Amino acid sequence: MRYLLDTNIISNLVKPAPSPTLVAWMAEREDRELYISALTIAEICRGVLEKPAGKRRDALEKWFSGGQGPQALFAGRILPFDEPAALIWGRLMAAGQTKGKPRSALDMMIAAIAEANDCTLVTDNEKDFAGIEILNPVRGGLS
């Protein structure tokens, strides 16, 4: 099984008190099963750089670029937004628009990367991924 971790999953894991159910789920996975998208790297980078200067930002920058940061931990398992994902993204965005439920372009890019790479999308953002099969280990299951 292959899992694509949404940005909010990575963010949860680096909190001072991460979700116990998420930590337990992660402990049961092998590294080779877990992937992130290049978009997650971008979102985390942006979040770090938008923090005001100070100790918290310095610590996050050190984590982000260090051996425990996402680029190091997921080396070789960072999936791009490529042509197959782009075609899936177009379908997902059009489907939302047709149903009168516009979707977040970034969220649908992550969903498209998951589908294009035969990954289960792991997120606790059930609202924005409505209608897409996800796994929410924070809540404890598939949605």
Side-chain angles (χ1 to χ4, degrees):
M1 192 84 172
R2 291 166 48 118
Y3 301 95
L4 181 69
L5 307 179
D6 190 14
T7 307
N8 60 30
I9 296 298
I10 302 299
S11 296
N12 190 312
L13 290 169
V14 298
K15 287 181 179 177
S19 161
T21 56
L22 175 58
V23 171
W25 182 84
M26 291 289 292
E28 295 173 2
R29 308 278 87 71
E30 294 184 31
D31 286 352
R32 63 181 171 80
E33 297 177 291
L34 303 174
Y35 294 80
I36 60 173
S37 74
L39 298 169
T40 290
I41 296 293
E43 285 187 298
I44 294 170
C45 180
R46 176 185 174 190
V48 169
L49 295 174
E50 288 180 345
K51 296 271 185 234
K55 290 180 183 178
R56 177 73 176 139
R57 178 175 167 168
D58 291 346
L60 286 171
E61 285 179 332
K62 185 176 180 180
W63 164 78
F64 181 76
S65 61
Q68 294 301 308
Q71 292 163 287
L73 289 178
F74 291 91
R77 294 176 289 122
I78 300 172
L79 301 174
F81 183 75
D82 57 9
E83 184 178 354
L87 296 171
I88 294 166
W89 178 84
R91 176 178 45 81
L92 293 173
M93 292 299 290
Q97 194 66 33
T98 301
K99 292 177 183 174
K101 296 181 179 182
R103 294 174 154 171
S104 158
L106 188 58
D107 286 339
M108 291 306 100
M109 290 171 86
I110 292 172
I113 291 168
E115 185 176 328
N117 290 279
D118 196 29
C119 294
T120 298
L121 179 58
V122 179
T123 185
D124 69 350
N125 182 358
E126 295 181 22
K127 179 183 175 235
D128 291 336
F129 289 99
I132 294 171
E133 187 173 312
I134 63 166
L135 176 74
N136 183 350
V138 175
R139 195 169 60 83
L142 283 174
S143 295

mmCIF file of all heavy atoms in Angstrom, residues 13-55:
data_model
loop_
_atom_site.group_PDB
_atom_site.id
_atom_site.type_symbol
_atom_site.label_atom_id
_atom_site.label_comp_id
_atom_site.label_asym_id
_atom_site.label_seq_id
_atom_site.Cartn_x
_atom_site.Cartn_y
_atom_site.Cartn_z
ATOM 1 N N LEU A 13 2.107 16.074 12.935
ATOM 2 C CA LEU A 13 3.182 15.269 13.505
ATOM 3 C C LEU A 13 4.280 16.091 14.168
ATOM 4 O O LEU A 13 4.967 15.595 15.061
ATOM 5 C CB LEU A 13 3.797 14.371 12.426
ATOM 6 C CG LEU A 13 2.904 13.230 11.948
ATOM 7 C CD1 LEU A 13 3.495 12.591 10.700
ATOM 8 C CD2 LEU A 13 2.699 12.202 13.054
ATOM 9 N N VAL A 14 4.461 17.338 13.730
ATOM 10 C CA VAL A 14 5.523 18.165 14.321
ATOM 11 C C VAL A 14 5.012 19.084 15.435
ATOM 12 O O VAL A 14 5.783 19.851 15.997
ATOM 13 C CB VAL A 14 6.298 18.978 13.248
ATOM 14 C CG1 VAL A 14 6.983 18.047 12.283
ATOM 15 C CG2 VAL A 14 5.410 19.958 12.532
ATOM 16 N N LYS A 15 3.733 18.967 15.766
ATOM 17 C CA LYS A 15 3.192 19.723 16.896
ATOM 18 C C LYS A 15 3.835 19.207 18.190
ATOM 19 O O LYS A 15 4.234 18.051 18.280
ATOM 20 C CB LYS A 15 1.682 19.514 17.006
ATOM 21 C CG LYS A 15 0.855 20.211 15.965
ATOM 22 C CD LYS A 15 -0.615 19.926 16.213
ATOM 23 C CE LYS A 15 -1.487 20.626 15.212
ATOM 24 N NZ LYS A 15 -2.906 20.297 15.416
ATOM 25 N N PRO A 16 3.866 20.052 19.215
ATOM 26 C CA PRO A 16 4.372 19.576 20.508
ATOM 27 C C PRO A 16 3.586 18.370 21.037
ATOM 28 O O PRO A 16 4.156 17.505 21.691
ATOM 29 C CB PRO A 16 4.203 20.796 21.426
ATOM 30 C CG PRO A 16 4.220 21.972 20.497
ATOM 31 C CD PRO A 16 3.577 21.494 19.227
ATOM 32 N N ALA A 17 2.287 18.308 20.736
ATOM 33 C CA ALA A 17 1.461 17.175 21.161
ATOM 34 C C ALA A 17 0.670 16.664 19.953
ATOM 35 O O ALA A 17 -0.497 17.010 19.770
ATOM 36 C CB ALA A 17 0.526 17.598 22.286
ATOM 37 N N PRO A 18 1.296 15.831 19.108
ATOM 38 C CA PRO A 18 0.594 15.327 17.927
ATOM 39 C C PRO A 18 -0.548 14.385 18.313
ATOM 40 O O PRO A 18 -0.594 13.861 19.427
ATOM 41 C CB PRO A 18 1.679 14.590 17.153
ATOM 42 C CG PRO A 18 2.721 14.252 18.148
ATOM 43 C CD PRO A 18 2.653 15.320 19.217
ATOM 44 N N SER A 19 -1.445 14.182 17.360
ATOM 45 C CA SER A 19 -2.581 13.289 17.570
ATOM 46 C C SER A 19 -2.088 11.878 17.919
ATOM 47 O O SER A 19 -1.329 11.284 17.151
ATOM 48 C CB SER A 19 -3.425 13.231 16.293
ATOM 49 O OG SER A 19 -4.247 12.092 16.284
ATOM 50 N N PRO A 20 -2.532 11.319 19.048
ATOM 51 C CA PRO A 20 -2.098 9.964 19.422
ATOM 52 C C PRO A 20 -2.523 8.912 18.396
ATOM 53 O O PRO A 20 -1.772 7.965 18.135
ATOM 54 C CB PRO A 20 -2.782 9.718 20.772
ATOM 55 C CG PRO A 20 -3.153 11.063 21.288
ATOM 56 C CD PRO A 20 -3.349 11.941 20.099
ATOM 57 N N THR A 21 -3.718 9.066 17.812
ATOM 58 C CA THR A 21 -4.149 8.073 16.821
ATOM 59 C C THR A 21 -3.312 8.170 15.551
ATOM 60 O O THR A 21 -3.014 7.156 14.916
ATOM 61 C CB THR A 21 -5.649 8.212 16.480
ATOM 62 O OG1 THR A 21 -5.911 9.544 16.027
ATOM 63 C CG2 THR A 21 -6.522 7.891 17.676
ATOM 64 N N LEU A 22 -2.899 9.377 15.188
ATOM 65 C CA LEU A 22 -2.035 9.554 14.020
ATOM 66 C C LEU A 22 -0.662 8.951 14.285
ATOM 67 O O LEU A 22 -0.118 8.232 13.444
ATOM 68 C CB LEU A 22 -1.908 11.035 13.663
ATOM 69 C CG LEU A 22 -0.927 11.371 12.535
ATOM 70 C CD1 LEU A 22 -1.286 10.648 11.244
ATOM 71 C CD2 LEU A 22 -0.875 12.887 12.324
ATOM 72 N N VAL A 23 -0.100 9.225 15.442
ATOM 73 C CA VAL A 23 1.212 8.670 15.795
ATOM 74 C C VAL A 23 1.159 7.142 15.775
ATOM 75 O O VAL A 23 2.070 6.484 15.245
ATOM 76 C CB VAL A 23 1.685 9.212 17.167
ATOM 77 C CG1 VAL A 23 2.923 8.483 17.656
ATOM 78 C CG2 VAL A 23 1.942 10.716 17.075
ATOM 79 N N ALA A 24 0.092 6.570 16.306
ATOM 80 C CA ALA A 24 -0.048 5.108 16.302
ATOM 81 C C ALA A 24 -0.153 4.577 14.879
ATOM 82 O O ALA A 24 0.474 3.561 14.539
ATOM 83 C CB ALA A 24 -1.280 4.706 17.127
ATOM 84 N N TRP A 25 -0.928 5.245 14.038
ATOM 85 C CA TRP A 25 -1.064 4.819 12.636
ATOM 86 C C TRP A 25 0.282 4.880 11.928
ATOM 87 O O TRP A 25 0.661 3.954 11.219
ATOM 88 C CB TRP A 25 -2.099 5.689 11.921
ATOM 89 C CG TRP A 25 -2.332 5.278 10.506
ATOM 90 C CD1 TRP A 25 -3.181 4.299 10.066
ATOM 91 C CD2 TRP A 25 -1.696 5.822 9.339
ATOM 92 N NE1 TRP A 25 -3.104 4.196 8.691
ATOM 93 C CE2 TRP A 25 -2.199 5.124 8.228
ATOM 94 C CE3 TRP A 25 -0.752 6.825 9.138
ATOM 95 C CZ2 TRP A 25 -1.791 5.399 6.931
ATOM 96 C CZ3 TRP A 25 -0.343 7.103 7.838
ATOM 97 C CH2 TRP A 25 -0.862 6.390 6.749
ATOM 98 N N MET A 26 1.014 5.976 12.117
ATOM 99 C CA MET A 26 2.329 6.132 11.483
ATOM 100 C C MET A 26 3.297 5.042 11.940
ATOM 101 O O MET A 26 4.089 4.539 11.145
ATOM 102 C CB MET A 26 2.910 7.516 11.788
ATOM 103 C CG MET A 26 2.186 8.665 11.128
ATOM 104 S SD MET A 26 2.429 8.780 9.354
ATOM 105 C CE MET A 26 4.147 9.235 9.271
ATOM 106 N N ALA A 27 3.237 4.677 13.203
ATOM 107 C CA ALA A 27 4.140 3.655 13.751
ATOM 108 C C ALA A 27 3.930 2.300 13.090
ATOM 109 O O ALA A 27 4.850 1.478 13.043
ATOM 110 C CB ALA A 27 3.959 3.553 15.265
ATOM 111 N N GLU A 28 2.741 2.071 12.572
ATOM 112 C CA GLU A 28 2.428 0.800 11.910
ATOM 113 C C GLU A 28 2.851 0.777 10.442
ATOM 114 O O GLU A 28 2.753 -0.255 9.787
ATOM 115 C CB GLU A 28 0.928 0.518 12.016
ATOM 116 C CG GLU A 28 0.456 0.299 13.429
ATOM 117 C CD GLU A 28 -1.067 0.195 13.523
ATOM 118 O OE1 GLU A 28 -1.748 0.258 12.473
ATOM 119 O OE2 GLU A 28 -1.559 0.058 14.649
ATOM 120 N N ARG A 29 3.289 1.896 9.897
ATOM 121 C CA ARG A 29 3.675 1.998 8.485
ATOM 122 C C ARG A 29 5.183 1.865 8.336
ATOM 123 O O ARG A 29 5.947 2.285 9.201
ATOM 124 C CB ARG A 29 3.275 3.360 7.890
ATOM 125 C CG ARG A 29 1.819 3.747 8.092
ATOM 126 C CD ARG A 29 0.861 3.143 7.094
ATOM 127 N NE ARG A 29 0.314 1.850 7.372
ATOM 128 C CZ ARG A 29 -0.591 1.555 8.315
ATOM 129 N NH1 ARG A 29 -1.030 2.469 9.140
ATOM 130 N NH2 ARG A 29 -1.058 0.343 8.438
ATOM 131 N N GLU A 30 5.587 1.336 7.194
ATOM 132 C CA GLU A 30 7.003 1.330 6.836
ATOM 133 C C GLU A 30 7.284 2.589 6.021
ATOM 134 O O GLU A 30 6.414 3.057 5.276
ATOM 135 C CB GLU A 30 7.328 0.089 6.023
ATOM 136 C CG GLU A 30 7.191 -1.195 6.817
ATOM 137 C CD GLU A 30 7.617 -2.415 6.022
ATOM 138 O OE1 GLU A 30 8.520 -2.285 5.169
ATOM 139 O OE2 GLU A 30 7.040 -3.481 6.263
ATOM 140 N N ASP A 31 8.497 3.117 6.146
ATOM 141 C CA ASP A 31 8.851 4.336 5.426
ATOM 142 C C ASP A 31 8.540 4.219 3.940
ATOM 143 O O ASP A 31 8.045 5.168 3.330
ATOM 144 C CB ASP A 31 10.333 4.677 5.599
ATOM 145 C CG ASP A 31 10.653 5.227 6.976
ATOM 146 O OD1 ASP A 31 9.713 5.495 7.754
ATOM 147 O OD2 ASP A 31 11.855 5.395 7.274
ATOM 148 N N ARG A 32 8.808 3.075 3.344
ATOM 149 C CA ARG A 32 8.627 2.909 1.892
ATOM 150 C C ARG A 32 7.163 3.030 1.450
ATOM 151 O O ARG A 32 6.887 3.161 0.263
ATOM 152 C CB ARG A 32 9.225 1.595 1.418
ATOM 153 C CG ARG A 32 8.560 0.368 2.004
ATOM 154 C CD ARG A 32 9.218 -0.931 1.514
ATOM 155 N NE ARG A 32 8.725 -2.074 2.233
ATOM 156 C CZ ARG A 32 7.574 -2.672 1.986
ATOM 157 N NH1 ARG A 32 6.807 -2.248 1.016
ATOM 158 N NH2 ARG A 32 7.189 -3.719 2.697
ATOM 159 N N GLU A 33 6.233 3.015 2.387
ATOM 160 C CA GLU A 33 4.809 3.165 2.077
ATOM 161 C C GLU A 33 4.370 4.632 2.066
ATOM 162 O O GLU A 33 3.293 4.940 1.567
ATOM 163 C CB GLU A 33 3.947 2.456 3.132
ATOM 164 C CG GLU A 33 4.128 0.973 3.228
ATOM 165 C CD GLU A 33 3.288 0.390 4.346
ATOM 166 O OE1 GLU A 33 3.609 0.654 5.536
ATOM 167 O OE2 GLU A 33 2.313 -0.310 4.025
ATOM 168 N N LEU A 34 5.174 5.513 2.634
ATOM 169 C CA LEU A 34 4.757 6.891 2.888
ATOM 170 C C LEU A 34 5.406 7.869 1.919
ATOM 171 O O LEU A 34 6.634 7.866 1.758
ATOM 172 C CB LEU A 34 5.113 7.267 4.329
ATOM 173 C CG LEU A 34 4.521 6.359 5.410
ATOM 174 C CD1 LEU A 34 5.071 6.734 6.774
ATOM 175 C CD2 LEU A 34 3.001 6.407 5.403
ATOM 176 N N TYR A 35 4.578 8.716 1.325
ATOM 177 C CA TYR A 35 5.021 9.709 0.354
ATOM 178 C C TYR A 35 4.435 11.067 0.725
ATOM 179 O O TYR A 35 3.429 11.142 1.425
ATOM 180 C CB TYR A 35 4.521 9.338 -1.056
ATOM 181 C CG TYR A 35 5.133 8.073 -1.590
ATOM 182 C CD1 TYR A 35 4.664 6.821 -1.186
ATOM 183 C CD2 TYR A 35 6.184 8.123 -2.491
ATOM 184 C CE1 TYR A 35 5.238 5.655 -1.670
ATOM 185 C CE2 TYR A 35 6.754 6.967 -2.993
ATOM 186 C CZ TYR A 35 6.284 5.740 -2.576
ATOM 187 O OH TYR A 35 6.849 4.593 -3.060
ATOM 188 N N ILE A 36 5.072 12.101 0.224
ATOM 189 C CA ILE A 36 4.494 13.440 0.275
ATOM 190 C C ILE A 36 4.596 14.012 -1.129
ATOM 191 O O ILE A 36 5.303 13.477 -1.987
ATOM 192 C CB ILE A 36 5.180 14.366 1.307
ATOM 193 C CG1 ILE A 36 6.668 14.561 0.996
ATOM 194 C CG2 ILE A 36 4.965 13.849 2.723
ATOM 195 C CD1 ILE A 36 7.352 15.595 1.869
ATOM 196 N N SER A 37 3.892 15.091 -1.366
ATOM 197 C CA SER A 37 3.957 15.748 -2.668
ATOM 198 C C SER A 37 4.916 16.932 -2.610
ATOM 199 O O SER A 37 5.189 17.480 -1.539
ATOM 200 C CB SER A 37 2.570 16.221 -3.105
ATOM 201 O OG SER A 37 2.189 17.361 -2.368
ATOM 202 N N ALA A 38 5.407 17.316 -3.769
ATOM 203 C CA ALA A 38 6.230 18.523 -3.860
ATOM 204 C C ALA A 38 5.435 19.731 -3.368
ATOM 205 O O ALA A 38 6.001 20.680 -2.820
ATOM 206 C CB ALA A 38 6.705 18.727 -5.291
ATOM 207 N N LEU A 39 4.112 19.688 -3.525
ATOM 208 C CA LEU A 39 3.266 20.784 -3.053
ATOM 209 C C LEU A 39 3.287 20.887 -1.529
ATOM 210 O O LEU A 39 3.205 21.987 -0.972
ATOM 211 C CB LEU A 39 1.839 20.610 -3.553
ATOM 212 C CG LEU A 39 1.697 20.625 -5.073
ATOM 213 C CD1 LEU A 39 0.311 20.185 -5.483
ATOM 214 C CD2 LEU A 39 2.037 21.974 -5.633
ATOM 215 N N THR A 40 3.419 19.769 -0.853
ATOM 216 C CA THR A 40 3.526 19.785 0.602
ATOM 217 C C THR A 40 4.821 20.469 1.026
ATOM 218 O O THR A 40 4.826 21.265 1.976
ATOM 219 C CB THR A 40 3.425 18.359 1.176
ATOM 220 O OG1 THR A 40 2.075 17.912 0.989
ATOM 221 C CG2 THR A 40 3.768 18.292 2.650
ATOM 222 N N ILE A 41 5.903 20.187 0.302
ATOM 223 C CA ILE A 41 7.165 20.886 0.582
ATOM 224 C C ILE A 41 6.947 22.393 0.428
ATOM 225 O O ILE A 41 7.374 23.187 1.270
ATOM 226 C CB ILE A 41 8.282 20.408 -0.370
ATOM 227 C CG1 ILE A 41 8.598 18.928 -0.150
ATOM 228 C CG2 ILE A 41 9.542 21.272 -0.229
ATOM 229 C CD1 ILE A 41 9.222 18.602 1.176
ATOM 230 N N ALA A 42 6.266 22.794 -0.653
ATOM 231 C CA ALA A 42 6.011 24.222 -0.902
ATOM 232 C C ALA A 42 5.156 24.834 0.208
ATOM 233 O O ALA A 42 5.451 25.940 0.684
ATOM 234 C CB ALA A 42 5.325 24.402 -2.256
ATOM 235 N N GLU A 43 4.103 24.130 0.617
ATOM 236 C CA GLU A 43 3.218 24.665 1.665
ATOM 237 C C GLU A 43 3.953 24.820 2.996
ATOM 238 O O GLU A 43 3.773 25.817 3.694
ATOM 239 C CB GLU A 43 2.006 23.761 1.858
ATOM 240 C CG GLU A 43 0.973 23.879 0.773
ATOM 241 C CD GLU A 43 -0.281 23.093 1.114
ATOM 242 O OE1 GLU A 43 -0.209 21.855 1.268
ATOM 243 O OE2 GLU A 43 -1.345 23.730 1.217
ATOM 244 N N ILE A 44 4.776 23.837 3.339
ATOM 245 C CA ILE A 44 5.519 23.920 4.599
ATOM 246 C C ILE A 44 6.541 25.052 4.529
ATOM 247 O O ILE A 44 6.669 25.842 5.473
ATOM 248 C CB ILE A 44 6.184 22.571 4.935
ATOM 249 C CG1 ILE A 44 5.113 21.508 5.229
ATOM 250 C CG2 ILE A 44 7.127 22.717 6.135
ATOM 251 C CD1 ILE A 44 5.656 20.098 5.336
ATOM 252 N N CYS A 45 7.253 25.139 3.423
ATOM 253 C CA CYS A 45 8.238 26.206 3.242
ATOM 254 C C CYS A 45 7.568 27.571 3.393
ATOM 255 O O CYS A 45 8.064 28.441 4.126
ATOM 256 C CB CYS A 45 8.903 26.069 1.872
ATOM 257 S SG CYS A 45 10.138 27.342 1.528
ATOM 258 N N ARG A 46 6.451 27.744 2.735
ATOM 259 C CA ARG A 46 5.717 29.004 2.821
ATOM 260 C C ARG A 46 5.321 29.299 4.267
ATOM 261 O O ARG A 46 5.478 30.423 4.760
ATOM 262 C CB ARG A 46 4.479 28.946 1.934
ATOM 263 C CG ARG A 46 3.604 30.169 2.043
ATOM 264 C CD ARG A 46 2.342 30.008 1.237
ATOM 265 N NE ARG A 46 1.459 31.128 1.480
ATOM 266 C CZ ARG A 46 0.201 31.184 1.078
ATOM 267 N NH1 ARG A 46 -0.317 30.187 0.392
ATOM 268 N NH2 ARG A 46 -0.531 32.233 1.340
ATOM 269 N N GLY A 47 4.794 28.285 4.947
ATOM 270 C CA GLY A 47 4.371 28.470 6.334
ATOM 271 C C GLY A 47 5.513 28.885 7.239
ATOM 272 O O GLY A 47 5.354 29.758 8.103
ATOM 273 N N VAL A 48 6.671 28.285 7.039
ATOM 274 C CA VAL A 48 7.842 28.639 7.838
ATOM 275 C C VAL A 48 8.253 30.078 7.546
ATOM 276 O O VAL A 48 8.492 30.874 8.460
ATOM 277 C CB VAL A 48 9.010 27.664 7.564
ATOM 278 C CG1 VAL A 48 10.314 28.179 8.177
ATOM 279 C CG2 VAL A 48 8.683 26.267 8.095
ATOM 280 N N LEU A 49 8.335 30.429 6.268
ATOM 281 C CA LEU A 49 8.800 31.764 5.880
ATOM 282 C C LEU A 49 7.824 32.878 6.237
ATOM 283 O O LEU A 49 8.229 34.034 6.359
ATOM 284 C CB LEU A 49 9.121 31.791 4.387
ATOM 285 C CG LEU A 49 10.291 30.906 3.968
ATOM 286 C CD1 LEU A 49 10.437 30.899 2.457
ATOM 287 C CD2 LEU A 49 11.581 31.325 4.652
ATOM 288 N N GLU A 50 6.557 32.542 6.418
ATOM 289 C CA GLU A 50 5.568 33.547 6.799
ATOM 290 C C GLU A 50 5.545 33.814 8.299
ATOM 291 O O GLU A 50 4.930 34.778 8.744
ATOM 292 C CB GLU A 50 4.169 33.139 6.323
ATOM 293 C CG GLU A 50 3.998 33.270 4.816
ATOM 294 C CD GLU A 50 2.622 32.859 4.334
ATOM 295 O OE1 GLU A 50 1.872 32.204 5.090
ATOM 296 O OE2 GLU A 50 2.304 33.178 3.177
ATOM 297 N N LYS A 51 6.221 32.974 9.084
ATOM 298 C CA LYS A 51 6.283 33.206 10.530
ATOM 299 C C LYS A 51 7.129 34.448 10.791
ATOM 300 O O LYS A 51 8.108 34.707 10.095
ATOM 301 C CB LYS A 51 6.942 32.009 11.239
ATOM 302 C CG LYS A 51 6.167 30.722 11.133
ATOM 303 C CD LYS A 51 5.207 30.608 12.263
ATOM 304 C CE LYS A 51 4.516 29.253 12.229
ATOM 305 N NZ LYS A 51 3.089 29.370 12.243
ATOM 306 N N PRO A 52 6.767 35.204 11.813
ATOM 307 C CA PRO A 52 7.604 36.356 12.153
ATOM 308 C C PRO A 52 8.990 35.894 12.619
ATOM 309 O O PRO A 52 9.128 34.801 13.165
ATOM 310 C CB PRO A 52 6.840 37.044 13.285
ATOM 311 C CG PRO A 52 5.752 36.125 13.701
ATOM 312 C CD PRO A 52 5.608 35.052 12.673
ATOM 313 N N ALA A 53 9.976 36.747 12.384
ATOM 314 C CA ALA A 53 11.339 36.431 12.824
ATOM 315 C C ALA A 53 11.341 36.177 14.328
ATOM 316 O O ALA A 53 10.607 36.816 15.082
ATOM 317 C CB ALA A 53 12.272 37.581 12.474
ATOM 318 N N GLY A 54 12.118 35.204 14.739
ATOM 319 C CA GLY A 54 12.201 34.886 16.157
ATOM 320 C C GLY A 54 12.588 33.441 16.373
ATOM 321 O O GLY A 54 12.903 32.705 15.434
ATOM 322 N N LYS A 55 12.532 33.018 17.625
ATOM 323 C CA LYS A 55 12.961 31.669 18.003
ATOM 324 C C LYS A 55 12.136 30.578 17.330
ATOM 325 O O LYS A 55 12.671 29.563 16.881
ATOM 326 C CB LYS A 55 12.900 31.496 19.518
ATOM 327 C CG LYS A 55 13.948 32.284 20.264
ATOM 328 C CD LYS A 55 13.819 32.057 21.766
ATOM 329 C CE LYS A 55 14.827 32.908 22.505
ATOM 330 N NZ LYS A 55 14.709 32.766 23.958
#
